[in-house]
Amino acid sequence: MFSFGESPDEVVEVLNIVPLQGPVGIVAPSCEAAISLAAEEINSGTGILGRQVRVTTIDGGRSPAEVADEVSALLATGMVDAITGWHISAVRQAVARVTGGRVPYLFANVYEELPNEPAEVVMIGEAPSGHILPAMRWLSREFGTRRWAIIGNDYIWPVATGRDVRAAYREAIHYERYVPLGTRDFGSILTDPLLDRADGIVMLLVGMDAVRFNQQFTAMGRAATQLRVSPVVDEQLLLAAGPGANTDLYVASSLFPDVNADPDRLARYHHMHGRFAPKLTYFGNTAYEALHTLRAMAHAVGSLEVPRMRAALEDGVVLETPSGARMYRDNHVVRPPSLIARAEGVDLRILDTLY
């Protein structure tokens, strides 16, 4: 962390928004460690447009208004060249309103498909059609899962994603509940006899809410008869819940860290952060990808100017990142091949490709 001030022209200043507190703050160590590795890799080459990149993290775990106010103040200094971050959609919407397309903004998380989403916000992750819906089809085919419950947090992303799940599986949804962020006790849900009607749980809970739900779900004995699937569980959440809480838990994403494609990445990561570094997780990998995507996009258009980047996105542009070639059109990835993984203890094992 450094203070904004005089910045030489040869530095690209990237503002990284990651929750450092609250129920989602558990993701911060991996995300910060991963994006710092990306910065080192970029700076060891040609940088971004020949300039070194420098990353400053601010706390995205505060209220959306507080985060947006700080971003607005920092933008007013003229010292911010781009924004990245893994944070919730409510924060993204507030930040997008104050950025107004002045600098590139790369959102390193799953998102919901909403009308009138600002075209200047580049979505690194997937919408429901790219993760939870194909995962549900796969689970139905492999295990005969036919009756579903939706349990999520009560804010824009889970509610909008639940809406899309209902639209696709209307007759198959037998239970649906949304709870505030920071919920600790899920007893009223887990003891509700209506939940017994489902054999699969679409879990749209984030951070420590997902951890506590998984622990209580398993303690109630439900893991023996009901599987769970989520697009927002990473290895850090599995570790926090404990291996016994993760039986029959599935996760869908196109951004699992593929260390097999880059076998030296873990070595570079641990050389930089030491042997006790946070695990390089799925969420950390999205932050890592976001910075590399910024570099690839700037290289493709020869500029960090938002209008030029937006024009390239509208035409469809292929960007090479550590995850491979990914085509972007408008402000999102054109349906990347997602994968489904099963929790095994505190790790995720990839099982199949989703279509």
mmCIF file of all heavy atoms in Angstrom, residues 284-321:
data_model
loop_
_atom_site.group_PDB
_atom_site.id
_atom_site.type_symbol
_atom_site.label_atom_id
_atom_site.label_comp_id
_atom_site.label_asym_id
_atom_site.label_seq_id
_atom_site.Cartn_x
_atom_site.Cartn_y
_atom_site.Cartn_z
ATOM 1 N N GLY A 284 -8.429 -15.854 -6.094
ATOM 2 C CA GLY A 284 -7.164 -15.171 -6.337
ATOM 3 C C GLY A 284 -6.810 -15.171 -7.812
ATOM 4 O O GLY A 284 -6.284 -14.186 -8.345
ATOM 5 N N ASN A 285 -7.114 -16.274 -8.487
ATOM 6 C CA ASN A 285 -6.795 -16.359 -9.909
ATOM 7 C C ASN A 285 -7.596 -15.367 -10.739
ATOM 8 O O ASN A 285 -7.127 -14.866 -11.758
ATOM 9 C CB ASN A 285 -7.042 -17.770 -10.429
ATOM 10 C CG ASN A 285 -6.445 -17.993 -11.805
ATOM 11 O OD1 ASN A 285 -5.252 -17.803 -12.013
ATOM 12 N ND2 ASN A 285 -7.270 -18.390 -12.763
ATOM 13 N N THR A 286 -8.833 -15.046 -10.310
ATOM 14 C CA THR A 286 -9.598 -14.051 -11.056
ATOM 15 C C THR A 286 -8.943 -12.674 -10.949
ATOM 16 O O THR A 286 -8.919 -11.911 -11.922
ATOM 17 C CB THR A 286 -11.061 -13.979 -10.567
ATOM 18 O OG1 THR A 286 -11.099 -13.511 -9.217
ATOM 19 C CG2 THR A 286 -11.751 -15.326 -10.655
ATOM 20 N N ALA A 287 -8.412 -12.351 -9.771
ATOM 21 C CA ALA A 287 -7.708 -11.076 -9.605
ATOM 22 C C ALA A 287 -6.438 -11.042 -10.456
ATOM 23 O O ALA A 287 -6.115 -10.024 -11.087
ATOM 24 C CB ALA A 287 -7.378 -10.857 -8.131
ATOM 25 N N TYR A 288 -5.725 -12.152 -10.478
ATOM 26 C CA TYR A 288 -4.521 -12.307 -11.294
ATOM 27 C C TYR A 288 -4.856 -12.120 -12.776
ATOM 28 O O TYR A 288 -4.184 -11.397 -13.507
ATOM 29 C CB TYR A 288 -3.966 -13.701 -11.002
ATOM 30 C CG TYR A 288 -2.807 -14.177 -11.831
ATOM 31 C CD1 TYR A 288 -1.489 -13.898 -11.458
ATOM 32 C CD2 TYR A 288 -3.006 -14.977 -12.956
ATOM 33 C CE1 TYR A 288 -0.420 -14.385 -12.189
ATOM 34 C CE2 TYR A 288 -1.948 -15.467 -13.691
ATOM 35 C CZ TYR A 288 -0.653 -15.169 -13.307
ATOM 36 O OH TYR A 288 0.406 -15.660 -14.026
ATOM 37 N N GLU A 289 -5.944 -12.763 -13.205
ATOM 38 C CA GLU A 289 -6.371 -12.661 -14.599
ATOM 39 C C GLU A 289 -6.781 -11.235 -14.967
ATOM 40 O O GLU A 289 -6.551 -10.781 -16.094
ATOM 41 C CB GLU A 289 -7.543 -13.612 -14.854
ATOM 42 C CG GLU A 289 -7.122 -15.039 -15.106
ATOM 43 C CD GLU A 289 -6.470 -15.219 -16.471
ATOM 44 O OE1 GLU A 289 -6.993 -14.684 -17.461
ATOM 45 O OE2 GLU A 289 -5.429 -15.891 -16.526
ATOM 46 N N ALA A 290 -7.413 -10.534 -14.033
ATOM 47 C CA ALA A 290 -7.877 -9.185 -14.331
ATOM 48 C C ALA A 290 -6.720 -8.270 -14.705
ATOM 49 O O ALA A 290 -6.817 -7.494 -15.668
ATOM 50 C CB ALA A 290 -8.649 -8.618 -13.146
ATOM 51 N N LEU A 291 -5.615 -8.341 -13.966
ATOM 52 C CA LEU A 291 -4.496 -7.464 -14.280
ATOM 53 C C LEU A 291 -3.848 -7.861 -15.601
ATOM 54 O O LEU A 291 -3.482 -7.002 -16.418
ATOM 55 C CB LEU A 291 -3.472 -7.484 -13.146
ATOM 56 C CG LEU A 291 -2.435 -6.352 -13.196
ATOM 57 C CD1 LEU A 291 -3.109 -4.990 -13.117
ATOM 58 C CD2 LEU A 291 -1.414 -6.496 -12.079
ATOM 59 N N HIS A 292 -3.715 -9.162 -15.845
ATOM 60 C CA HIS A 292 -3.164 -9.608 -17.129
ATOM 61 C C HIS A 292 -4.099 -9.238 -18.284
ATOM 62 O O HIS A 292 -3.639 -8.941 -19.395
ATOM 63 C CB HIS A 292 -2.907 -11.108 -17.101
ATOM 64 C CG HIS A 292 -1.583 -11.478 -16.506
ATOM 65 N ND1 HIS A 292 -0.387 -11.249 -17.165
ATOM 66 C CD2 HIS A 292 -1.254 -12.048 -15.316
ATOM 67 C CE1 HIS A 292 0.624 -11.673 -16.412
ATOM 68 N NE2 HIS A 292 0.122 -12.158 -15.288
ATOM 69 N N THR A 293 -5.412 -9.246 -18.039
ATOM 70 C CA THR A 293 -6.367 -8.847 -19.078
ATOM 71 C C THR A 293 -6.232 -7.366 -19.383
ATOM 72 O O THR A 293 -6.315 -6.943 -20.548
ATOM 73 C CB THR A 293 -7.802 -9.186 -18.642
ATOM 74 O OG1 THR A 293 -7.910 -10.602 -18.425
ATOM 75 C CG2 THR A 293 -8.817 -8.769 -19.702
ATOM 76 N N LEU A 294 -6.014 -6.551 -18.346
ATOM 77 C CA LEU A 294 -5.777 -5.126 -18.574
ATOM 78 C C LEU A 294 -4.562 -4.925 -19.462
ATOM 79 O O LEU A 294 -4.593 -4.132 -20.416
ATOM 80 C CB LEU A 294 -5.585 -4.407 -17.237
ATOM 81 C CG LEU A 294 -5.246 -2.918 -17.327
ATOM 82 C CD1 LEU A 294 -6.406 -2.115 -17.894
ATOM 83 C CD2 LEU A 294 -4.837 -2.381 -15.945
ATOM 84 N N ARG A 295 -3.493 -5.637 -19.172
ATOM 85 C CA ARG A 295 -2.284 -5.533 -20.001
ATOM 86 C C ARG A 295 -2.577 -5.951 -21.437
ATOM 87 O O ARG A 295 -2.200 -5.263 -22.401
ATOM 88 C CB ARG A 295 -1.171 -6.410 -19.425
ATOM 89 C CG ARG A 295 0.149 -6.310 -20.208
ATOM 90 C CD ARG A 295 0.956 -7.584 -20.120
ATOM 91 N NE ARG A 295 0.235 -8.715 -20.667
ATOM 92 C CZ ARG A 295 0.106 -8.978 -21.966
ATOM 93 N NH1 ARG A 295 0.646 -8.170 -22.861
ATOM 94 N NH2 ARG A 295 -0.566 -10.031 -22.372
ATOM 95 N N ALA A 296 -3.282 -7.090 -21.602
ATOM 96 C CA ALA A 296 -3.570 -7.595 -22.946
ATOM 97 C C ALA A 296 -4.467 -6.637 -23.723
ATOM 98 O O ALA A 296 -4.274 -6.416 -24.932
ATOM 99 C CB ALA A 296 -4.227 -8.977 -22.850
ATOM 100 N N MET A 297 -5.438 -6.035 -23.044
ATOM 101 C CA MET A 297 -6.348 -5.120 -23.710
ATOM 102 C C MET A 297 -5.622 -3.838 -24.125
ATOM 103 O O MET A 297 -5.813 -3.334 -25.238
ATOM 104 C CB MET A 297 -7.527 -4.803 -22.793
ATOM 105 C CG MET A 297 -8.679 -4.104 -23.478
ATOM 106 S SD MET A 297 -10.104 -3.936 -22.390
ATOM 107 C CE MET A 297 -10.484 -5.667 -22.083
ATOM 108 N N ALA A 298 -4.799 -3.309 -23.227
ATOM 109 C CA ALA A 298 -4.034 -2.112 -23.562
ATOM 110 C C ALA A 298 -3.104 -2.383 -24.745
ATOM 111 O O ALA A 298 -2.952 -1.540 -25.640
ATOM 112 C CB ALA A 298 -3.230 -1.646 -22.347
ATOM 113 N N HIS A 299 -2.494 -3.562 -24.762
ATOM 114 C CA HIS A 299 -1.601 -3.927 -25.870
ATOM 115 C C HIS A 299 -2.383 -4.050 -27.178
ATOM 116 O O HIS A 299 -1.924 -3.608 -28.237
ATOM 117 C CB HIS A 299 -0.896 -5.243 -25.551
ATOM 118 C CG HIS A 299 -0.002 -5.734 -26.643
ATOM 119 N ND1 HIS A 299 1.245 -5.197 -26.890
ATOM 120 C CD2 HIS A 299 -0.185 -6.708 -27.580
ATOM 121 C CE1 HIS A 299 1.803 -5.821 -27.927
ATOM 122 N NE2 HIS A 299 0.951 -6.746 -28.351
ATOM 123 N N ALA A 300 -3.597 -4.620 -27.100
ATOM 124 C CA ALA A 300 -4.392 -4.845 -28.311
ATOM 125 C C ALA A 300 -4.811 -3.538 -28.967
ATOM 126 O O ALA A 300 -4.878 -3.445 -30.201
ATOM 127 C CB ALA A 300 -5.619 -5.691 -27.985
ATOM 128 N N VAL A 301 -5.117 -2.513 -28.154
ATOM 129 C CA VAL A 301 -5.607 -1.254 -28.732
ATOM 130 C C VAL A 301 -4.558 -0.155 -28.709
ATOM 131 O O VAL A 301 -4.772 0.921 -29.273
ATOM 132 C CB VAL A 301 -6.892 -0.775 -28.012
ATOM 133 C CG1 VAL A 301 -7.965 -1.834 -28.077
ATOM 134 C CG2 VAL A 301 -6.610 -0.379 -26.562
ATOM 135 N N GLY A 302 -3.419 -0.419 -28.057
ATOM 136 C CA GLY A 302 -2.348 0.571 -28.012
ATOM 137 C C GLY A 302 -2.628 1.751 -27.114
ATOM 138 O O GLY A 302 -2.031 2.822 -27.274
ATOM 139 N N SER A 303 -3.538 1.556 -26.137
ATOM 140 C CA SER A 303 -3.937 2.692 -25.314
ATOM 141 C C SER A 303 -4.693 2.195 -24.089
ATOM 142 O O SER A 303 -5.238 1.085 -24.074
ATOM 143 C CB SER A 303 -4.842 3.626 -26.124
ATOM 144 O OG SER A 303 -5.384 4.645 -25.316
ATOM 145 N N LEU A 304 -4.744 3.046 -23.054
ATOM 146 C CA LEU A 304 -5.622 2.826 -21.901
ATOM 147 C C LEU A 304 -6.864 3.703 -21.985
ATOM 148 O O LEU A 304 -7.623 3.773 -21.026
ATOM 149 C CB LEU A 304 -4.865 3.118 -20.594
ATOM 150 C CG LEU A 304 -3.866 2.059 -20.134
ATOM 151 C CD1 LEU A 304 -3.005 2.596 -19.005
ATOM 152 C CD2 LEU A 304 -4.581 0.786 -19.695
ATOM 153 N N GLU A 305 -7.088 4.345 -23.118
ATOM 154 C CA GLU A 305 -8.248 5.211 -23.268
ATOM 155 C C GLU A 305 -9.514 4.365 -23.397
ATOM 156 O O GLU A 305 -9.593 3.464 -24.237
ATOM 157 C CB GLU A 305 -8.081 6.108 -24.492
ATOM 158 C CG GLU A 305 -6.925 7.086 -24.376
ATOM 159 C CD GLU A 305 -6.712 7.866 -25.654
ATOM 160 O OE1 GLU A 305 -7.532 7.700 -26.591
ATOM 161 O OE2 GLU A 305 -5.740 8.631 -25.725
ATOM 162 N N VAL A 306 -10.495 4.670 -22.568
ATOM 163 C CA VAL A 306 -11.714 3.864 -22.520
ATOM 164 C C VAL A 306 -12.459 3.830 -23.856
ATOM 165 O O VAL A 306 -12.899 2.755 -24.281
ATOM 166 C CB VAL A 306 -12.631 4.348 -21.373
ATOM 167 C CG1 VAL A 306 -13.986 3.631 -21.420
ATOM 168 C CG2 VAL A 306 -11.947 4.105 -20.025
ATOM 169 N N PRO A 307 -12.627 4.946 -24.582
ATOM 170 C CA PRO A 307 -13.343 4.862 -25.860
ATOM 171 C C PRO A 307 -12.696 3.901 -26.853
ATOM 172 O O PRO A 307 -13.396 3.170 -27.566
ATOM 173 C CB PRO A 307 -13.310 6.302 -26.380
ATOM 174 C CG PRO A 307 -13.182 7.139 -25.143
ATOM 175 C CD PRO A 307 -12.304 6.343 -24.232
ATOM 176 N N ARG A 308 -11.367 3.873 -26.903
ATOM 177 C CA ARG A 308 -10.686 2.960 -27.822
ATOM 178 C C ARG A 308 -10.849 1.515 -27.367
ATOM 179 O O ARG A 308 -11.047 0.616 -28.191
ATOM 180 C CB ARG A 308 -9.203 3.340 -27.939
ATOM 181 C CG ARG A 308 -8.996 4.685 -28.612
ATOM 182 C CD ARG A 308 -7.532 5.047 -28.712
ATOM 183 N NE ARG A 308 -6.787 4.106 -29.545
ATOM 184 C CZ ARG A 308 -5.485 4.236 -29.802
ATOM 185 N NH1 ARG A 308 -4.805 5.264 -29.302
ATOM 186 N NH2 ARG A 308 -4.864 3.354 -30.564
ATOM 187 N N MET A 309 -10.776 1.278 -26.072
ATOM 188 C CA MET A 309 -10.993 -0.075 -25.569
ATOM 189 C C MET A 309 -12.423 -0.526 -25.839
ATOM 190 O O MET A 309 -12.673 -1.665 -26.257
ATOM 191 C CB MET A 309 -10.695 -0.133 -24.069
ATOM 192 C CG MET A 309 -9.228 -0.049 -23.726
ATOM 193 S SD MET A 309 -8.942 -0.363 -21.960
ATOM 194 C CE MET A 309 -7.146 -0.527 -21.951
ATOM 195 N N ARG A 310 -13.364 0.371 -25.619
ATOM 196 C CA ARG A 310 -14.768 0.020 -25.830
ATOM 197 C C ARG A 310 -15.039 -0.304 -27.297
ATOM 198 O O ARG A 310 -15.768 -1.241 -27.606
ATOM 199 C CB ARG A 310 -15.659 1.172 -25.367
ATOM 200 C CG ARG A 310 -17.136 0.858 -25.455
ATOM 201 C CD ARG A 310 -17.976 1.959 -24.843
ATOM 202 N NE ARG A 310 -19.389 1.709 -25.000
ATOM 203 C CZ ARG A 310 -20.350 2.509 -24.590
ATOM 204 N NH1 ARG A 310 -20.037 3.629 -23.965
ATOM 205 N NH2 ARG A 310 -21.617 2.216 -24.780
ATOM 206 N N ALA A 311 -14.440 0.441 -28.214
ATOM 207 C CA ALA A 311 -14.620 0.171 -29.643
ATOM 208 C C ALA A 311 -14.076 -1.207 -30.002
ATOM 209 O O ALA A 311 -14.688 -1.952 -30.779
ATOM 210 C CB ALA A 311 -13.926 1.248 -30.474
ATOM 211 N N ALA A 312 -12.921 -1.558 -29.425
ATOM 212 C CA ALA A 312 -12.349 -2.880 -29.690
ATOM 213 C C ALA A 312 -13.246 -3.989 -29.149
ATOM 214 O O ALA A 312 -13.428 -5.037 -29.775
ATOM 215 C CB ALA A 312 -10.953 -2.976 -29.080
ATOM 216 N N LEU A 313 -13.831 -3.761 -27.982
ATOM 217 C CA LEU A 313 -14.727 -4.748 -27.396
ATOM 218 C C LEU A 313 -15.991 -4.905 -28.229
ATOM 219 O O LEU A 313 -16.504 -6.021 -28.396
ATOM 220 C CB LEU A 313 -15.083 -4.350 -25.959
ATOM 221 C CG LEU A 313 -13.949 -4.421 -24.939
ATOM 222 C CD1 LEU A 313 -14.385 -3.801 -23.620
ATOM 223 C CD2 LEU A 313 -13.494 -5.852 -24.714
ATOM 224 N N GLU A 314 -16.517 -3.821 -28.732
ATOM 225 C CA GLU A 314 -17.721 -3.901 -29.545
ATOM 226 C C GLU A 314 -17.488 -4.727 -30.803
ATOM 227 O O GLU A 314 -18.375 -5.455 -31.255
ATOM 228 C CB GLU A 314 -18.202 -2.495 -29.915
ATOM 229 C CG GLU A 314 -18.797 -1.725 -28.744
ATOM 230 C CD GLU A 314 -19.131 -0.289 -29.086
ATOM 231 O OE1 GLU A 314 -18.729 0.160 -30.180
ATOM 232 O OE2 GLU A 314 -19.785 0.380 -28.261
ATOM 233 N N ASP A 315 -16.280 -4.631 -31.359
ATOM 234 C CA ASP A 315 -15.959 -5.376 -32.573
ATOM 235 C C ASP A 315 -15.627 -6.834 -32.285
ATOM 236 O O ASP A 315 -15.638 -7.667 -33.189
ATOM 237 C CB ASP A 315 -14.773 -4.726 -33.290
ATOM 238 C CG ASP A 315 -15.131 -3.365 -33.874
ATOM 239 O OD1 ASP A 315 -16.338 -3.116 -34.080
ATOM 240 O OD2 ASP A 315 -14.214 -2.566 -34.104
ATOM 241 N N GLY A 316 -15.337 -7.137 -31.031
ATOM 242 C CA GLY A 316 -14.917 -8.484 -30.672
ATOM 243 C C GLY A 316 -13.406 -8.568 -30.738
ATOM 244 O O GLY A 316 -12.806 -8.378 -31.797
ATOM 245 N N VAL A 317 -12.778 -8.801 -29.619
ATOM 246 C CA VAL A 317 -11.322 -8.842 -29.565
ATOM 247 C C VAL A 317 -10.895 -10.085 -28.793
ATOM 248 O O VAL A 317 -11.533 -10.459 -27.804
ATOM 249 C CB VAL A 317 -10.756 -7.557 -28.906
ATOM 250 C CG1 VAL A 317 -11.228 -7.414 -27.465
ATOM 251 C CG2 VAL A 317 -9.236 -7.524 -28.968
ATOM 252 N N VAL A 318 -9.868 -10.752 -29.257
ATOM 253 C CA VAL A 318 -9.320 -11.928 -28.587
ATOM 254 C C VAL A 318 -8.117 -11.490 -27.772
ATOM 255 O O VAL A 318 -7.178 -10.878 -28.314
ATOM 256 C CB VAL A 318 -8.932 -13.021 -29.592
ATOM 257 C CG1 VAL A 318 -8.290 -14.205 -28.861
ATOM 258 C CG2 VAL A 318 -10.153 -13.488 -30.371
ATOM 259 N N LEU A 319 -8.142 -11.780 -26.484
ATOM 260 C CA LEU A 319 -7.060 -11.382 -25.590
ATOM 261 C C LEU A 319 -6.363 -12.624 -25.056
ATOM 262 O O LEU A 319 -7.012 -13.566 -24.582
ATOM 263 C CB LEU A 319 -7.611 -10.550 -24.431
ATOM 264 C CG LEU A 319 -8.360 -9.269 -24.822
ATOM 265 C CD1 LEU A 319 -8.901 -8.582 -23.577
ATOM 266 C CD2 LEU A 319 -7.465 -8.324 -25.616
ATOM 267 N N GLU A 320 -5.050 -12.619 -25.121
ATOM 268 C CA GLU A 320 -4.255 -13.727 -24.588
ATOM 269 C C GLU A 320 -3.871 -13.410 -23.151
ATOM 270 O O GLU A 320 -3.247 -12.392 -22.872
ATOM 271 C CB GLU A 320 -2.994 -13.929 -25.429
ATOM 272 C CG GLU A 320 -3.243 -14.464 -26.832
ATOM 273 C CD GLU A 320 -3.595 -15.946 -26.843
ATOM 274 O OE1 GLU A 320 -3.411 -16.608 -25.794
ATOM 275 O OE2 GLU A 320 -4.041 -16.423 -27.900
ATOM 276 N N THR A 321 -4.277 -14.289 -22.246
ATOM 277 C CA THR A 321 -3.929 -14.164 -20.823
ATOM 278 C C THR A 321 -3.411 -15.510 -20.349
ATOM 279 O O THR A 321 -3.424 -16.486 -21.111
ATOM 280 C CB THR A 321 -5.162 -13.754 -19.991
ATOM 281 O OG1 THR A 321 -6.038 -14.882 -19.876
ATOM 282 C CG2 THR A 321 -5.904 -12.581 -20.623
#
